[in-house]
Amino acid sequence: MIEISTSPTSTTLVISGDLDLAERDQFPEVAARVVGLRRQLVVIDMCRVTFMDSTGAAFLISLADSARKRGGAAALRGADPRDLFVLEVCGALELFRIDADHRCEDARPATDFSAPATT
């Protein structure tokens, strides 16, 4: 699910659940709506994203690209390291401002792939 809210200077998308191939049918409508709002900053809240594949990454990349073409920017907040990795593999991480400190209170815990395994 993708919820959209606006302020005078930004559009915020709060994404819940999977951001993947199964959800792609809603991406064009959401992207068109965000572009139509014409805000300089697109904030993408990923605190509640449970899974993202390359289709979801392509959607985020299209949002960042649209913002940049309007002279604006896209920011990711609360993104899990695995989601950032998908964007990095796609060669698109530099398209986003990353807010690594933001955490929603009721969101899923961040995954830390660098932590050693314990037995």
Side-chain angles (χ1 to χ4, degrees):
M1 178 166 75
I2 302 174
E3 297 176 22
I4 301 173
S5 61
T6 61
S7 77
T9 59
S10 68
T11 298
T12 300
L13 287 80
V14 177
I15 304 171
S16 301
D18 293 348
L19 192 59
D20 62 3
L21 184 64
E23 301 299 320
R24 76 173 185 265
D25 290 343
Q26 67 179 318
F27 296 164
E29 180 182 335
V30 171
R33 191 165 165 215
V34 169
V35 169
L37 292 169
R38 300 186 185 275
R39 300 301 194 270
Q40 285 296 103
L41 178 63
V42 176
V43 178
I44 304 162
D45 185 317
M46 297 189 58
C47 288
R48 293 175 186 84
V49 172
T50 53
F51 174 76
M52 181 177 73
D53 68 4
S54 60
T55 306
F59 168 63
L60 298 181
I61 292 165
S62 72
L63 294 174
D65 190 48
S66 294
R68 204 165 63 166
K69 286 178 181 176
R70 291 188 314 274
L76 295 176
R77 69 179 186 197
D80 192 275
R82 69 176 180 240
D83 301 326
L84 297 175
F85 177 74
V86 172
L87 290 167
E88 183 177 19
V89 167
C90 292
L93 197 54
E94 71 279 352
L95 296 175
F96 299 91
R97 296 178 185 171
I98 308 297
D99 180 354
D101 298 327
H102 176 85
R103 292 285 178 256
C104 293
E105 291 181 24
D106 60 344
R108 57 152 168 70
T111 303
D112 184 2
F113 292 112
S114 64
T118 59
T119 56

